[in-house]
Amino acid sequence: MTPTVRVAVPRKGRPLEAVLERVADATGTAGLADDISSTLRYEKAVTKGEVDPDRPVYDRLASYSDWTDPTAPEYTLLRDDRNGMPRRIVFDSVVVEGDGVDLHLIGREEPFRALRTHSFPLGFDSADLVLEEVVQLRAEGLDSISDVNDRIDPRDTDVRVVSGLGDTVYHTLLATPDVLPGGASLDREFVAGYSGDLCISPRYERLVEAVLGTDVLEGIGFSYPGDVAEEEAAIADAGLGVYLTMTGSTARDHGLVVGENLFPSETVLMENPAEGDEATDRARSALLDADLSTAIEM
């Protein structure tokens, strides 16, 4: 009998799509991945009011699941955090048959925390959450996924990062031109000599401290966007900030200079070795055999 390994995954959004692409690369199940992704994109559009559904939500939920097929994807209904708390269909689980090991992908709101509580041997979540929760703050900054494990105190968690998936959006330095002296580069060295406000999202305070390092942040105070202001607009008011961006086009619309990419906001494969066995090793190897992955020394 083929062993099955339980893998915690996000329930929706870009991180889940990155996971599905990686699993499809490892198992040859591109059709299944596309089906799940397209279903969830449609449901997201319904939740945002961009399309009018042709059936009530429970009818759609029932139609998406095939109870006669144990390998068919399953979905569930959650309250979305948008105004009015609309119900939203999200991913629940699917069994993907592999070569020598099957993967049981199980949706969780917080996969990283599910691994921390020893509920799963493998899981996928944002690298940001690892930095926000367990990475140690040091004088020097952190700039790559491969260095994350060295900053995790083994007394805090058994979980370690195995690989990034390459679905990268960077935490990037942004500034108004008047903050930069003529010809100055907007990079970590500039921030080290800067005094004043640095505008960030409140949830990223510890992440930014880990990425820039505590020495660089001497003489700098954090400011935060208001309830209404967009992050880029708030950074333009403050003069200097850190925000997630792929191309910088929106930042430039606010007159901002796009500087150094500080750290990748990337979905990562994680492992709790305390829960692993031979089947887990096979599952991890299958996921790492996909072309995009680069294993991290654990």
Side-chain angles (χ1 to χ4, degrees):
M1 183 175 178
T2 304
T4 300
V5 174
R6 300 168 71 247
V7 183
V9 303
R11 287 195 180 276
K12 60 185 184 299
R14 176 178 61 88
L16 176 58
E17 291 194 11
V19 172
L20 293 172
E21 289 174 5
R22 172 56 59 87
V23 172
D25 287 342
T27 61
T29 53
L32 175 64
D34 289 344
D35 177 59
I36 296 172
S37 293
S38 61
T39 297
L40 295 178
R41 286 190 200 122
Y42 173 77
E43 289 299 326
K44 177 181 179 180
V46 170
T47 303
K48 295 178 68 175
E50 295 173 353
V51 299
D52 293 323
D54 56 356
R55 292 168 293 173
V57 65
Y58 287 107
D59 290 347
R60 301 198 309 276
L61 182 63
S63 71
Y64 294 151
S65 299
D66 182 356
W67 303 107
T68 65
D69 183 359
T71 64
E74 297 178 14
Y75 302 87
T76 192
L77 198 62
L78 294 181
R79 289 289 183 183
D80 194 89
D81 59 4
R82 300 174 191 275
N83 291 336
M85 298 179 65
R87 293 171 297 180
R88 179 171 177 176
I89 292 176
V90 296
F91 174 74
D92 190 59
S93 70
V94 69
V95 175
V96 182
E97 297 177 346
D99 184 11
V101 62
D102 293 343
L103 304 175
H104 187 186
L105 308 184
I106 301 175
R108 286 291 181 266
E109 285 300 293
E110 298 171 333
F112 173 54
R113 291 170 184 165
L115 264 71
R116 290 192 72 187
T117 58
H118 294 259
S119 301
F120 293 83
L122 294 173
F124 293 89
D125 210 337
S126 170
D128 290 355
L129 194 59
V130 182
L131 268 65
E132 291 166 24
E133 295 208 353
V134 299
V135 164
Q136 297 172 335
L137 302 181
R138 296 181 184 174
E140 68 279 8
L142 180 70
D143 59 10
S144 71
I145 296 290
S146 62
D147 295 330
V148 168
N149 286 338
D150 291 338
R151 297 285 187 96
I152 298 177
D153 188 334
R155 295 169 295 184
D156 285 342
T157 180
D158 293 319
V159 180
R160 295 295 181 271
V161 175
V162 178
S163 170
L165 299 194
D167 59 326
T168 307
V169 179
Y170 280 96
H171 295 279
T172 301
L173 282 170
L174 305 173
T176 54
D178 58 291
V179 168
L180 294 169
S185 296
L186 181 53
D187 53 21
R188 293 169 189 260
E189 185 177 352
F190 170 80
V191 179
Y194 171 84
S195 295
D197 285 342
L198 180 72
C199 185
I200 62 171
S201 173
R203 62 168 291 203
Y204 286 132
E205 184 168 320
R206 194 175 187 280
L207 181 150
V208 171
E209 289 178 322
V211 168
L212 287 174
T214 54
D215 279 359
V216 168
L217 291 171
E218 290 184 9
I220 290 176
F222 289 135
S223 64
Y224 311 101
D227 293 336
V228 178
E230 296 179 354
E231 277 84 352
E232 292 99 329
I235 291 171
D237 289 339
L240 180 67
V242 178
Y243 187 55
L244 288 169
T245 182
M246 289 185 67
T247 65
S249 59
T250 306
R252 294 187 182 94
D253 289 343
H254 287 82
L256 294 168
V257 175
V258 179
E260 181 181 354
N261 290 333
L262 297 175
F263 190 84
S265 177
E266 185 173 359
T267 306
V268 292
L269 169 63
M270 298 170 294
E271 179 180 14
N272 189 326
E275 300 303 318
D277 55 18
E278 183 180 348
T280 304
D281 292 342
R282 272 189 261 170
R284 184 184 63 244
S285 296
L287 292 167
L288 288 174
D289 280 344
D291 291 341
L292 291 176
S293 66
T294 302
I296 294 171
E297 193 70 31
M298 297 179 64

